[in-house]
Amino acid sequence: MTEARVGYFVCSMPHNLQTSVALLARTPAALNALLRDLPEEWTHRNEGDKTWSPFDTVGHLVYCERADWMPRAKMILEFGETRAFDPFDREGFAHERQDVPIGERLDDFGRLRDANLDELRAMKLQPSDLEKRGRHPALGVVTLSGLLATWAAHDLTHLHQISRVMAYQYREAVGPWSKFLGVLQCTGHSS
Amino acid sequence: MTEARVGYFVCSMPHNLQTSVALLARTPAALNALLRDLPEEWTHRNEGDKTWSPFDTVGHLVYCERADWMPRAKMILEFGETRAFDPFDREGFAHERQDVPIGERLDDFGRLRDANLDELRAMKLQPSDLEKRGRHPALGVVTLSGLLATWAAHDLTHLHQISRVMAYQYREAVGPWSKFLGVLQCTGHSS
């Protein structure tokens, strides 16, 4: 497997803005279809102390739409490497209202994402813009292209997390099948 | 984290048929929202030799609706432990048509899932039915409850896989952010 992956490495997809936007535009609807009106046994349970439920994760996605991606994209275009991004609080969603149904968070996510993608399209970014550099407070020099690709991959990391956290609730209910279910072997990989 | 998980273990969700059905009913729409009309760079690339693309995975989910879950549920009710299930071919989808758009597989998945859930509801299973036992060719004695919980968790294992395979395509495009993206540290955990 490792060898095959290495062999495939040369075919890694270059970043294409339209490809990223195609995914970014779909994530809110996918989470909406999965989570809206689902019993809270699925949406509000986590993997134990200080871990996130799907409800928390949707809150984090909402907060990222407000505070992470587009503000940082605009900082790269305005300040380049001369000014580091403000540090981002992964737990910032804790300040958002907790006593709302998940549907309200899903609505917020969809609305904010649509507005951000409208703003992104209006920038009419050119390939030369995508090469522009900014400064991440922990990672150092980054590019606008990397930021926008990360925005898309970040949706996938949280879809991956949500599916894992939900499956975790059934780790006993599945009985002996647990060893055949890869998701139940996943330990999260969070840094 | 391990300790927290152990502490939480006592709260593991018991299997509830309505809870499983709520999820099973939503997965086709979630995959449809995520994958339909998405560029093939996302849907048709895999993680290297002999691994599955999202297109392959949807084919596997279609094949499971035909050949795995409901046929096995009916075998438990009809034969109990006296007859083992037919072995299931995880790669059985290879015999399905390959030259179709992913939308056609998503349509098949939605249609077959709806029909299977209609049939399941018509069985009006009682708690005593869920305790009934069958025989898995590799796992030995299993219950109908475990089979139906596994049907739901199996959706989640493949949502987990699809998000990982898609993120893998951007493993270079994200640049230094890769170390913050848990999904890019995931090695799959397949048995």
Side-chain angles (χ1 to χ4, degrees):
Chain A
M1 172 66 92
T2 305
E3 202 170 19
R5 285 199 178 207
V6 171
Y8 195 68
F9 200 77
V10 293
C11 303
S12 175
M13 254 161 93
H15 180 232
N16 175 296
L17 186 56
Q18 278 63 45
T19 306
S20 292
V21 169
L23 175 59
L24 288 165
R26 281 167 173 79
T27 310
L31 289 179
N32 189 64
L34 183 67
L35 299 174
R36 184 178 294 264
D37 299 326
L38 197 62
E40 291 199 353
E41 291 95 315
W42 288 123
T43 58
H44 284 62
R45 287 173 178 245
N46 61 19
E47 294 170 300
D49 194 34
K50 296 190 181 164
T51 63
W52 294 3
S53 68
F55 178 75
D56 294 331
T57 301
V58 176
H60 168 75
L61 289 168
V62 168
Y63 188 69
C64 288
E65 291 303 305
R66 293 193 212 277
D68 190 338
W69 311 110
M70 288 301 289
R72 288 182 168 190
K74 286 185 268 191
M75 275 200 69
I76 292 175
L77 293 172
E78 191 170 357
F79 299 106
E81 297 173 55
T82 63
R83 201 165 129 183
F85 306 145
D86 295 326
F88 181 75
D89 180 4
R90 291 181 71 246
E91 305 272 352
F93 66 88
H95 305 296
E96 305 231 2
R97 282 183 59 197
Q98 299 297 316
D99 58 344
V100 294
I102 197 167
E104 195 167 310
R105 287 195 168 176
L106 291 163
D107 288 341
D108 287 347
F109 182 41
R111 185 175 43 77
L112 290 164
R113 174 62 59 88
D114 283 349
N116 280 333
L117 292 182
D118 284 347
E119 192 175 3
L120 182 71
R121 290 187 194 97
M123 287 176 171
K124 297 187 189 305
L125 295 173
Q126 302 302 310
S128 59
D129 294 316
L130 294 177
E131 297 310 311
K132 288 184 177 161
R133 293 164 164 223
R135 185 169 298 280
H136 186 284
L139 298 172
V141 174
V142 293
T143 63
L144 181 58
S145 176
L147 176 75
L148 299 175
T150 301
W151 189 4
H154 180 264
D155 279 4
L156 296 169
T157 215
H158 287 296
L159 189 57
H160 185 255
Q161 176 192 33
I162 285 170
S163 56
R164 186 190 73 234
V165 173
M166 290 171 69
Y168 181 70
Q169 312 311 324
Y170 262 22
R171 64 202 179 281
E172 291 184 278
V174 298
W177 271 282
S178 61
K179 68 177 174 182
F180 289 164
L181 293 163
V183 67
L184 290 178
Q185 323 309 324
C186 183
T187 53
H189 333 289
S190 295
S191 57
Chain B
M1 171 66 93
T2 304
E3 201 169 20
R5 285 200 179 208
V6 171
Y8 195 69
F9 199 77
V10 292
C11 303
S12 173
M13 252 161 93
H15 180 234
N16 175 297
L17 186 56
Q18 278 64 44
T19 306
S20 292
V21 169
L23 175 60
L24 288 165
R26 280 167 173 78
T27 311
L31 289 179
N32 189 64
L34 183 68
L35 299 174
R36 183 177 294 264
D37 299 326
L38 197 63
E40 292 199 352
E41 292 95 317
W42 288 123
T43 58
H44 283 63
R45 287 172 177 246
N46 62 19
E47 295 169 300
D49 194 34
K50 297 189 180 166
T51 64
W52 293 3
S53 67
F55 178 76
D56 294 332
T57 301
V58 176
H60 167 75
L61 289 167
V62 169
Y63 188 68
C64 288
E65 291 303 305
R66 292 192 212 280
D68 190 337
W69 311 110
M70 286 302 287
R72 288 184 168 189
K74 286 184 267 190
M75 276 200 69
I76 291 174
L77 294 172
E78 191 170 355
F79 299 107
E81 296 174 54
T82 64
R83 203 167 128 181
F85 306 145
D86 295 327
F88 181 74
D89 180 5
R90 290 181 71 248
E91 305 272 352
F93 67 88
H95 305 295
E96 304 231 3
R97 283 184 58 197
Q98 299 297 316
D99 58 342
V100 294
I102 197 167
E104 196 167 308
R105 288 195 168 177
L106 290 163
D107 288 341
D108 286 347
F109 181 42
R111 187 175 43 76
L112 290 164
R113 173 63 59 89
D114 283 349
N116 280 334
L117 292 182
D118 284 347
E119 193 176 1
L120 182 72
R121 289 188 195 98
M123 288 176 171
K124 299 188 189 303
L125 296 173
Q126 302 302 311
S128 60
D129 293 317
L130 294 176
E131 297 309 311
K132 288 184 177 162
R133 293 165 163 222
R135 185 169 299 278
H136 187 284
L139 298 172
V141 174
V142 293
T143 64
L144 181 57
S145 176
L147 176 76
L148 299 176
T150 301
W151 189 4
H154 180 264
D155 279 4
L156 296 169
T157 215
H158 288 295
L159 189 58
H160 186 255
Q161 176 192 34
I162 285 170
S163 57
R164 185 189 75 235
V165 173
M166 289 172 68
Y168 181 69
Q169 312 311 324
Y170 263 22
R171 65 202 179 282
E172 290 184 277
V174 298
W177 271 282
S178 61
K179 67 177 173 182
F180 290 164
L181 293 163
V183 67
L184 291 177
Q185 322 311 323
C186 183
T187 53
H189 333 288
S190 294
S191 58

